[in-house]
Amino acid sequence: MCIAILGPTFQDLARNVNRNISSLSLIFVGRASGYLFGSMIGGVLFDCMNHFLLLGGNVLILAIWGDKGAPHMQALHFSFALGAFLAPILAKLAVGTSVSAENHTEPAFQPPATNGSSEADSAPLFGLPDDMNLFWAYAFVGTYMFIVSLFPFALFFKKSSRQEKSKPSAQEWRRAEYHKTLLCLLFLFFFFYVGAEVTYGSYVFSFATTYAGMEEREAAGLNSIFWGTFAACRGLAIFFAACLQPGTMIVLSNIGSLASSLFLVLFDKSPLCLWIATSVYGASMATTFPSGVSWIEQYTTISGKSAAFFVIGAALGEMAIPAVIGIVEGQYPDLPVVLYTCLGSAIFTAVIFPVLYKLATLPLDRQRKANRKSED
Protein backbone atom coordinates (compact mmCIF):
# COMPACT_ATOMS: atom_id res chain seq x y z
CA MET A 1 0.00 0.00 0.00
CA CYS A 2 2.85 2.35 0.80
CA ILE A 3 4.37 1.89 -2.67
CA ALA A 4 1.14 2.08 -4.67
CA ILE A 5 -0.68 4.91 -2.85
CA LEU A 6 1.62 7.43 -4.50
CA GLY A 7 0.45 6.89 -8.09
CA PRO A 8 -3.27 7.75 -7.88
CA THR A 9 -2.63 10.60 -5.40
CA PHE A 10 0.35 12.06 -7.27
CA GLN A 11 -1.60 14.88 -8.92
CA ASP A 12 -3.29 15.75 -5.63
CA LEU A 13 0.02 15.86 -3.78
CA ALA A 14 1.43 18.14 -6.47
CA ARG A 15 -1.63 20.38 -6.25
CA ASN A 16 -1.37 20.42 -2.47
CA VAL A 17 2.10 22.02 -2.63
CA ASN A 18 1.30 24.05 -5.77
CA ARG A 19 3.77 22.16 -7.99
CA ASN A 20 3.49 20.10 -11.16
CA ILE A 21 4.28 16.40 -11.49
CA SER A 22 7.52 16.97 -13.39
CA SER A 23 9.06 18.96 -10.53
CA LEU A 24 7.64 16.58 -7.90
CA SER A 25 9.06 13.38 -9.42
CA LEU A 26 12.14 13.65 -7.20
CA ILE A 27 10.10 12.23 -4.34
CA PHE A 28 10.75 8.85 -6.00
CA VAL A 29 14.45 9.49 -5.45
CA GLY A 30 13.86 10.33 -1.79
CA ARG A 31 11.79 7.21 -1.15
CA ALA A 32 14.14 4.91 -3.01
CA SER A 33 17.18 6.43 -1.27
CA GLY A 34 15.86 5.22 2.06
CA TYR A 35 15.10 1.83 0.51
CA LEU A 36 18.61 1.69 -0.92
CA PHE A 37 20.27 2.60 2.37
CA GLY A 38 18.11 0.09 4.26
CA SER A 39 19.02 -2.66 1.79
CA MET A 40 22.73 -1.98 2.14
CA ILE A 41 22.66 -1.97 5.94
CA GLY A 42 20.11 -4.79 6.18
CA GLY A 43 22.19 -7.15 4.05
CA VAL A 44 25.12 -6.79 6.41
CA LEU A 45 23.05 -6.97 9.60
CA PHE A 46 21.10 -10.04 8.47
CA ASP A 47 24.20 -12.23 8.74
CA CYS A 48 25.00 -11.10 12.27
CA MET A 49 21.76 -10.41 14.19
CA ASN A 50 18.35 -11.87 14.96
CA HIS A 51 16.38 -12.37 11.74
CA PHE A 52 12.96 -11.72 13.25
CA LEU A 53 14.06 -8.42 14.75
CA LEU A 54 15.54 -7.29 11.43
CA LEU A 55 12.80 -8.85 9.21
CA GLY A 56 14.81 -9.54 6.01
CA GLY A 57 11.81 -11.14 4.29
CA ASN A 58 13.28 -12.73 1.14
CA VAL A 59 16.42 -14.10 2.77
CA LEU A 60 14.51 -15.23 5.85
CA ILE A 61 12.37 -17.49 3.65
CA LEU A 62 15.48 -18.86 1.91
CA ALA A 63 17.09 -19.48 5.30
CA ILE A 64 14.08 -21.48 6.51
CA TRP A 65 13.04 -23.40 3.37
CA GLY A 66 16.05 -23.10 1.05
CA ASP A 67 15.38 -23.90 -2.63
CA LYS A 68 12.06 -25.52 -1.61
CA GLY A 69 10.61 -22.18 -0.59
CA ALA A 70 9.21 -21.02 -3.95
CA PRO A 71 5.51 -21.20 -2.83
CA HIS A 72 6.36 -19.35 0.38
CA MET A 73 8.26 -16.72 -1.58
CA GLN A 74 5.27 -16.23 -3.88
CA ALA A 75 2.99 -15.93 -0.82
CA LEU A 76 5.19 -13.21 0.67
CA HIS A 77 5.11 -11.19 -2.54
CA PHE A 78 1.37 -11.82 -2.94
CA SER A 79 0.86 -9.75 0.21
CA PHE A 80 2.73 -6.90 -1.49
CA ALA A 81 0.53 -7.20 -4.56
CA LEU A 82 -2.66 -7.29 -2.47
CA GLY A 83 -1.71 -4.05 -0.74
CA ALA A 84 -0.80 -2.48 -4.06
CA PHE A 85 -4.25 -3.43 -5.40
CA LEU A 86 -6.08 -1.96 -2.40
CA ALA A 87 -4.12 1.30 -2.35
CA PRO A 88 -5.66 2.87 -5.51
CA ILE A 89 -9.12 1.94 -4.23
CA LEU A 90 -8.33 3.66 -0.94
CA ALA A 91 -7.03 6.70 -2.81
CA LYS A 92 -10.09 6.73 -5.05
CA LEU A 93 -12.39 6.77 -2.03
CA ALA A 94 -10.36 9.48 -0.32
CA VAL A 95 -9.66 11.82 -3.22
CA GLY A 96 -12.76 11.18 -5.30
CA THR A 97 -15.14 12.35 -2.57
CA SER A 98 -13.53 15.70 -1.90
CA VAL A 99 -11.93 17.10 -5.04
CA SER A 100 -14.27 18.72 -7.54
CA ALA A 101 -14.04 18.17 -11.26
CA GLU A 102 -12.89 21.69 -12.10
CA ASN A 103 -9.74 21.20 -10.04
CA HIS A 104 -8.56 18.46 -12.41
CA THR A 105 -8.57 20.33 -15.70
CA GLU A 106 -4.98 21.51 -15.44
CA PRO A 107 -2.56 19.30 -17.42
CA ALA A 108 -0.31 17.22 -15.21
CA PHE A 109 2.87 17.39 -17.28
CA GLN A 110 3.53 21.09 -17.73
CA PRO A 111 6.67 23.24 -17.61
CA PRO A 112 7.44 24.40 -14.06
CA ALA A 113 6.04 27.84 -13.34
CA THR A 114 8.49 30.49 -12.20
CA ASN A 115 6.28 31.99 -9.51
CA GLY A 116 3.93 29.05 -8.97
CA SER A 117 5.57 27.73 -5.82
CA SER A 118 5.49 30.91 -3.73
CA GLU A 119 2.33 29.82 -1.93
CA ALA A 120 3.78 26.40 -1.16
CA ASP A 121 7.11 27.85 -0.05
CA SER A 122 5.43 30.20 2.41
CA ALA A 123 3.26 27.44 3.92
CA PRO A 124 4.28 25.96 7.29
CA LEU A 125 6.47 22.88 7.05
CA PHE A 126 4.25 20.65 9.18
CA GLY A 127 0.88 22.19 8.33
CA LEU A 128 -2.12 19.97 7.58
CA PRO A 129 -3.20 19.78 3.91
CA ASP A 130 -6.35 21.47 2.66
CA ASP A 131 -7.68 18.07 1.58
CA MET A 132 -8.04 16.16 4.85
CA ASN A 133 -9.29 13.04 3.05
CA LEU A 134 -5.90 12.83 1.34
CA PHE A 135 -4.25 13.21 4.74
CA TRP A 136 -6.32 10.40 6.27
CA ALA A 137 -5.53 8.06 3.36
CA TYR A 138 -1.81 8.36 4.10
CA ALA A 139 -2.41 8.26 7.85
CA PHE A 140 -4.30 4.97 7.45
CA VAL A 141 -1.45 3.38 5.45
CA GLY A 142 1.17 4.54 7.95
CA THR A 143 -0.83 3.32 10.94
CA TYR A 144 -1.40 -0.07 9.33
CA MET A 145 2.34 -0.46 8.66
CA PHE A 146 3.11 0.38 12.29
CA ILE A 147 0.63 -2.19 13.62
CA VAL A 148 1.91 -4.95 11.32
CA SER A 149 5.51 -4.23 12.36
CA LEU A 150 4.60 -5.24 15.93
CA PHE A 151 4.04 -8.88 14.93
CA PRO A 152 7.65 -9.78 13.96
CA PHE A 153 8.73 -7.81 17.02
CA ALA A 154 6.60 -10.19 19.10
CA LEU A 155 8.24 -13.17 17.36
CA PHE A 156 11.62 -11.79 18.41
CA PHE A 157 10.66 -12.13 22.07
CA LYS A 158 8.98 -15.50 21.54
CA LYS A 159 11.99 -17.18 19.99
CA SER A 160 15.41 -16.46 21.42
CA SER A 161 18.53 -16.11 19.33
CA ARG A 162 19.99 -19.20 20.97
CA GLN A 163 17.08 -21.36 19.83
CA GLU A 164 17.31 -19.93 16.35
CA LYS A 165 21.02 -20.69 16.07
CA SER A 166 20.57 -24.24 17.32
CA LYS A 167 17.89 -24.96 14.72
CA PRO A 168 19.37 -26.67 11.63
CA SER A 169 19.09 -24.59 8.49
CA ALA A 170 17.25 -25.86 5.44
CA GLN A 171 19.96 -24.43 3.24
CA GLU A 172 22.75 -26.52 1.80
CA TRP A 173 25.72 -24.28 1.07
CA ARG A 174 26.74 -24.15 -2.57
CA ARG A 175 28.44 -21.56 -4.71
CA ALA A 176 28.08 -21.24 -8.47
CA GLU A 177 31.20 -21.00 -10.60
CA TYR A 178 30.10 -17.59 -11.88
CA HIS A 179 28.59 -16.46 -8.58
CA LYS A 180 29.61 -12.79 -8.82
CA THR A 181 28.69 -12.51 -12.50
CA LEU A 182 25.25 -13.97 -11.80
CA LEU A 183 24.68 -11.47 -9.01
CA CYS A 184 25.74 -8.57 -11.25
CA LEU A 185 23.40 -9.65 -14.04
CA LEU A 186 20.60 -10.19 -11.53
CA PHE A 187 21.33 -6.68 -10.26
CA LEU A 188 20.67 -5.32 -13.77
CA PHE A 189 17.68 -7.62 -14.27
CA PHE A 190 15.93 -6.35 -11.15
CA PHE A 191 16.99 -2.76 -11.89
CA PHE A 192 14.93 -2.69 -15.09
CA TYR A 193 12.14 -4.96 -13.85
CA VAL A 194 11.38 -3.06 -10.62
CA GLY A 195 11.95 0.28 -12.35
CA ALA A 196 9.33 -0.59 -14.99
CA GLU A 197 6.91 -1.98 -12.41
CA VAL A 198 7.06 1.10 -10.18
CA THR A 199 7.05 3.48 -13.15
CA TYR A 200 3.91 2.02 -14.69
CA GLY A 201 2.14 1.60 -11.37
CA SER A 202 2.93 5.18 -10.38
CA TYR A 203 2.38 6.96 -13.69
CA VAL A 204 -0.44 5.00 -15.31
CA PHE A 205 -3.02 7.20 -13.58
CA SER A 206 -1.43 10.44 -14.79
CA PHE A 207 -0.77 8.94 -18.23
CA ALA A 208 -4.39 7.85 -18.60
CA THR A 209 -5.81 11.26 -17.65
CA THR A 210 -3.40 13.49 -19.56
CA TYR A 211 -2.40 11.44 -22.61
CA ALA A 212 -5.24 8.96 -23.15
CA GLY A 213 -7.97 11.43 -22.14
CA MET A 214 -9.63 9.23 -19.51
CA GLU A 215 -11.73 10.53 -16.65
CA GLU A 216 -10.15 10.34 -13.21
CA ARG A 217 -12.39 7.52 -12.03
CA GLU A 218 -11.57 5.53 -15.17
CA ALA A 219 -7.85 6.19 -14.65
CA ALA A 220 -8.10 5.03 -11.03
CA GLY A 221 -9.83 1.90 -12.29
CA LEU A 222 -7.02 1.34 -14.80
CA ASN A 223 -4.52 1.69 -11.96
CA SER A 224 -6.52 -0.79 -9.90
CA ILE A 225 -6.77 -3.32 -12.75
CA PHE A 226 -2.98 -3.26 -13.10
CA TRP A 227 -2.43 -4.01 -9.43
CA GLY A 228 -5.48 -6.29 -9.32
CA THR A 229 -4.23 -8.67 -12.01
CA PHE A 230 -0.78 -8.31 -10.46
CA ALA A 231 -2.17 -9.47 -7.10
CA ALA A 232 -4.37 -12.20 -8.57
CA CYS A 233 -1.50 -13.81 -10.49
CA ARG A 234 0.77 -13.65 -7.47
CA GLY A 235 -1.92 -15.43 -5.50
CA LEU A 236 -2.22 -18.12 -8.18
CA ALA A 237 1.58 -18.33 -8.34
CA ILE A 238 1.58 -19.76 -4.81
CA PHE A 239 0.03 -22.91 -6.28
CA PHE A 240 1.84 -22.78 -9.64
CA ALA A 241 5.20 -22.62 -7.83
CA ALA A 242 4.54 -26.10 -6.44
CA CYS A 243 4.50 -27.62 -9.94
CA LEU A 244 6.44 -25.19 -12.16
CA GLN A 245 10.13 -24.37 -12.01
CA PRO A 246 11.01 -20.73 -11.19
CA GLY A 247 12.84 -20.45 -14.51
CA THR A 248 9.73 -21.48 -16.43
CA MET A 249 7.66 -18.87 -14.61
CA ILE A 250 10.23 -16.18 -15.44
CA VAL A 251 10.18 -17.09 -19.14
CA LEU A 252 6.36 -16.96 -19.24
CA SER A 253 6.43 -13.62 -17.42
CA ASN A 254 8.97 -12.18 -19.84
CA ILE A 255 6.92 -13.25 -22.87
CA GLY A 256 3.74 -11.76 -21.42
CA SER A 257 5.31 -8.45 -20.39
CA LEU A 258 7.05 -8.10 -23.78
CA ALA A 259 3.85 -8.76 -25.73
CA SER A 260 1.62 -6.55 -23.56
CA SER A 261 4.04 -3.60 -23.45
CA LEU A 262 4.36 -3.76 -27.25
CA PHE A 263 0.56 -3.80 -27.47
CA LEU A 264 0.43 -0.73 -25.19
CA VAL A 265 2.83 1.19 -27.42
CA LEU A 266 1.02 0.29 -30.64
CA PHE A 267 -2.50 1.09 -29.38
CA ASP A 268 -1.81 3.78 -26.80
CA LYS A 269 -4.88 5.87 -27.70
CA SER A 270 -7.48 3.09 -27.52
CA PRO A 271 -9.15 2.83 -24.07
CA LEU A 272 -10.19 -0.79 -24.67
CA CYS A 273 -6.65 -1.79 -25.64
CA LEU A 274 -5.26 0.06 -22.62
CA TRP A 275 -7.55 -1.94 -20.32
CA ILE A 276 -6.66 -5.28 -21.91
CA ALA A 277 -2.93 -4.65 -22.21
CA THR A 278 -2.70 -3.21 -18.70
CA SER A 279 -4.38 -6.33 -17.31
CA VAL A 280 -1.97 -8.62 -19.16
CA TYR A 281 1.01 -6.46 -18.22
CA GLY A 282 0.11 -6.57 -14.52
CA ALA A 283 -0.37 -10.34 -14.66
CA SER A 284 2.93 -10.82 -16.50
CA MET A 285 4.94 -8.72 -14.04
CA ALA A 286 3.52 -10.53 -11.03
CA THR A 287 5.81 -13.50 -10.54
CA THR A 288 9.13 -12.17 -11.85
CA PHE A 289 10.71 -10.92 -8.64
CA PRO A 290 9.88 -13.84 -6.30
CA SER A 291 10.64 -16.33 -9.08
CA GLY A 292 13.99 -14.63 -9.69
CA VAL A 293 14.98 -14.97 -6.03
CA SER A 294 13.88 -18.63 -5.95
CA TRP A 295 15.61 -19.34 -9.26
CA ILE A 296 19.04 -18.04 -8.24
CA GLU A 297 18.86 -20.03 -4.99
CA GLN A 298 18.79 -23.25 -7.06
CA TYR A 299 22.31 -22.59 -8.30
CA THR A 300 24.07 -20.61 -5.59
CA THR A 301 23.41 -19.93 -1.91
CA ILE A 302 22.08 -16.43 -1.24
CA SER A 303 23.40 -14.84 1.94
CA GLY A 304 22.23 -11.57 3.41
CA LYS A 305 24.95 -9.63 1.59
CA SER A 306 24.18 -11.35 -1.73
CA ALA A 307 20.48 -10.61 -1.43
CA ALA A 308 21.24 -7.02 -0.47
CA PHE A 309 23.29 -6.61 -3.64
CA PHE A 310 20.53 -7.43 -6.11
CA VAL A 311 17.90 -5.73 -3.93
CA ILE A 312 20.05 -2.60 -4.22
CA GLY A 313 19.67 -2.98 -7.99
CA ALA A 314 15.91 -3.06 -7.52
CA ALA A 315 16.09 0.02 -5.27
CA LEU A 316 18.18 1.91 -7.80
CA GLY A 317 15.68 1.04 -10.53
CA GLU A 318 12.85 2.26 -8.31
CA MET A 319 14.84 5.44 -7.66
CA ALA A 320 16.23 6.33 -11.07
CA ILE A 321 13.70 5.24 -13.68
CA PRO A 322 10.53 6.90 -12.29
CA ALA A 323 12.44 10.11 -11.52
CA VAL A 324 13.91 10.30 -15.02
CA ILE A 325 10.53 9.51 -16.59
CA GLY A 326 8.89 12.31 -14.61
CA ILE A 327 11.43 14.81 -15.95
CA VAL A 328 11.22 13.52 -19.54
CA GLU A 329 7.40 13.58 -19.46
CA GLY A 330 7.59 17.24 -18.50
CA GLN A 331 9.75 17.94 -21.55
CA TYR A 332 7.82 15.75 -24.01
CA PRO A 333 4.18 15.61 -22.82
CA ASP A 334 2.95 14.48 -26.26
CA LEU A 335 4.94 11.22 -26.18
CA PRO A 336 3.95 8.07 -24.21
CA VAL A 337 7.34 7.92 -22.50
CA VAL A 338 5.98 5.63 -19.78
CA LEU A 339 5.00 3.01 -22.36
CA TYR A 340 8.33 3.26 -24.18
CA THR A 341 10.10 2.68 -20.87
CA CYS A 342 8.04 -0.42 -20.12
CA LEU A 343 8.73 -1.83 -23.60
CA GLY A 344 12.48 -1.14 -23.33
CA SER A 345 12.65 -2.77 -19.90
CA ALA A 346 10.72 -5.81 -21.15
CA ILE A 347 13.15 -6.22 -24.04
CA PHE A 348 16.16 -5.98 -21.73
CA THR A 349 14.85 -8.51 -19.19
CA ALA A 350 13.83 -10.89 -21.99
CA VAL A 351 17.38 -10.77 -23.34
CA ILE A 352 19.31 -10.92 -20.07
CA PHE A 353 17.56 -13.95 -18.53
CA PRO A 354 18.81 -16.46 -21.17
CA VAL A 355 22.32 -15.17 -20.43
CA LEU A 356 21.73 -15.72 -16.71
CA TYR A 357 20.44 -19.23 -17.36
CA LYS A 358 23.39 -20.13 -19.58
CA LEU A 359 25.94 -18.95 -16.99
CA ALA A 360 24.17 -20.79 -14.18
CA THR A 361 23.89 -24.09 -16.07
CA LEU A 362 27.23 -24.00 -17.92
CA PRO A 363 29.15 -25.91 -15.20
CA LEU A 364 26.35 -28.49 -15.07
CA ASP A 365 26.53 -28.96 -18.84
CA ARG A 366 30.28 -29.47 -18.65
CA GLN A 367 29.80 -31.98 -15.86
CA ARG A 368 27.25 -33.94 -17.89
CA LYS A 369 29.56 -33.99 -20.90
CA ALA A 370 32.44 -35.20 -18.73
CA ASN A 371 30.24 -37.97 -17.29
CA ARG A 372 29.21 -39.13 -20.78
CA LYS A 373 32.83 -39.10 -21.90
CA SER A 374 33.92 -41.19 -18.92
CA GLU A 375 31.10 -43.66 -19.57
CA ASP A 376 32.19 -44.00 -23.20
Side-chain angles (χ1 to χ4, degrees):
M1 286 196 295
C2 179
I3 292 285
I5 191 71
L6 182 58
T9 59
F10 205 16
Q11 289 180 328
D12 301 278
L13 291 173
R15 189 179 300 109
N16 192 58
V17 294
N18 199 24
R19 299 292 180 94
N20 55 51
I21 288 182
S22 178
S23 63
L24 203 66
S25 61
L26 287 178
I27 64 176
F28 289 106
V29 178
R31 181 178 68 179
S33 296
Y35 192 86
L36 174 65
F37 180 76
S39 300
M40 294 172 63
I41 301 299
V44 176
L45 294 180
F46 188 88
D47 294 330
C48 59
M49 69 176 290
N50 187 281
H51 297 169
F52 290 101
L53 182 62
L54 184 65
L55 191 64
N58 293 302
V59 191
L60 185 58
I61 286 181
L62 296 178
I64 296 173
W65 288 285
D67 57 4
K68 304 297 183 184
H72 308 85
M73 186 71 70
Q74 298 288 350
L76 171 70
H77 287 268
F78 167 70
S79 66
F80 169 87
L82 181 62
F85 168 69
L86 294 176
I89 299 176
L90 174 65
K92 182 179 177 181
L93 293 174
V95 177
T97 56
S98 62
V99 182
S100 59
E102 62 263 23
N103 290 334
H104 294 285
T105 57
E106 182 182 0
F109 300 109
Q110 58 179 335
T114 54
N115 298 322
S117 62
S118 58
E119 182 182 342
D121 294 337
S122 61
L125 182 61
F126 297 105
L128 291 176
D130 295 332
D131 182 5
M132 287 302 296
N133 285 337
L134 181 66
F135 168 79
W136 287 118
Y138 276 86
F140 172 81
V141 173
T143 304
Y144 177 79
M145 291 173 63
F146 172 75
I147 293 173
V148 170
S149 69
L150 298 177
F151 288 96
F153 196 65
L155 286 175
F156 166 69
F157 289 103
K158 184 178 180 180
K159 177 174 267 189
S160 67
S161 299
R162 183 183 306 174
Q163 289 174 322
E164 184 181 337
K165 290 179 180 178
S166 62
K167 181 180 177 179
S169 174
Q171 282 185 302
E172 178 185 348
W173 180 264
R174 56 189 175 276
R175 185 180 179 88
E177 182 177 345
Y178 301 102
H179 178 82
K180 293 183 179 179
T181 305
L182 287 171
L183 290 181
C184 290
L185 289 175
L186 206 60
F187 177 100
L188 294 174
F189 183 87
F190 284 141
F191 176 89
F192 285 98
Y193 161 74
V194 175
E197 174 193 312
V198 174
T199 296
Y200 195 78
S202 299
Y203 283 108
V204 63
F205 181 89
S206 301
F207 164 79
T209 54
T210 59
Y211 185 86
M214 286 185 171
E215 296 292 331
E216 288 215 348
R217 290 187 177 276
E218 291 179 314
L222 190 67
N223 201 336
S224 294
I225 202 68
F226 171 75
W227 291 115
T229 55
F230 188 87
C233 283
R234 277 201 170 171
L236 293 173
I238 300 173
F239 306 100
F240 290 150
C243 57
L244 291 177
Q245 291 294 323
T248 304
M249 298 180 71
I250 293 175
V251 171
L252 293 175
S253 297
N254 286 344
I255 294 173
S257 59
L258 185 60
S260 57
S261 58
L262 179 61
F263 199 73
L264 282 168
V265 170
L266 295 177
F267 304 99
D268 56 348
K269 290 289 189 179
S270 170
L272 178 61
C273 293
L274 284 176
W275 281 97
I276 296 174
T278 296
S279 302
V280 177
Y281 189 64
S284 302
M285 298 287 279
T287 64
T288 304
F289 193 94
S291 297
V293 178
S294 300
W295 176 82
I296 193 66
E297 177 66 18
Q298 293 178 327
Y299 300 98
T300 187
T301 299
I302 300 299
S303 63
K305 296 183 182 66
S306 299
F309 182 72
F310 60 72
V311 169
I312 287 171
L316 287 175
E318 179 187 345
M319 176 194 299
I321 296 180
V324 171
I325 294 308
I327 296 172
V328 175
E329 280 280 12
Q331 300 295 323
Y332 304 97
D334 296 329
L335 293 177
V337 180
V338 174
L339 305 186
Y340 293 156
T341 302
C342 294
L343 178 59
S345 298
I347 292 173
F348 184 86
T349 53
V351 169
I352 200 173
F353 182 70
V355 179
L356 275 164
Y357 182 82
K358 187 63 178 178
L359 284 176
T361 58
L362 190 60
L364 299 177
D365 292 338
R366 286 204 296 256
Q367 183 64 37
R368 281 194 290 266
K369 290 179 181 178
N371 291 340
R372 284 199 297 266
K373 186 176 181 180
S374 62
E375 288 175 0
D376 294 340

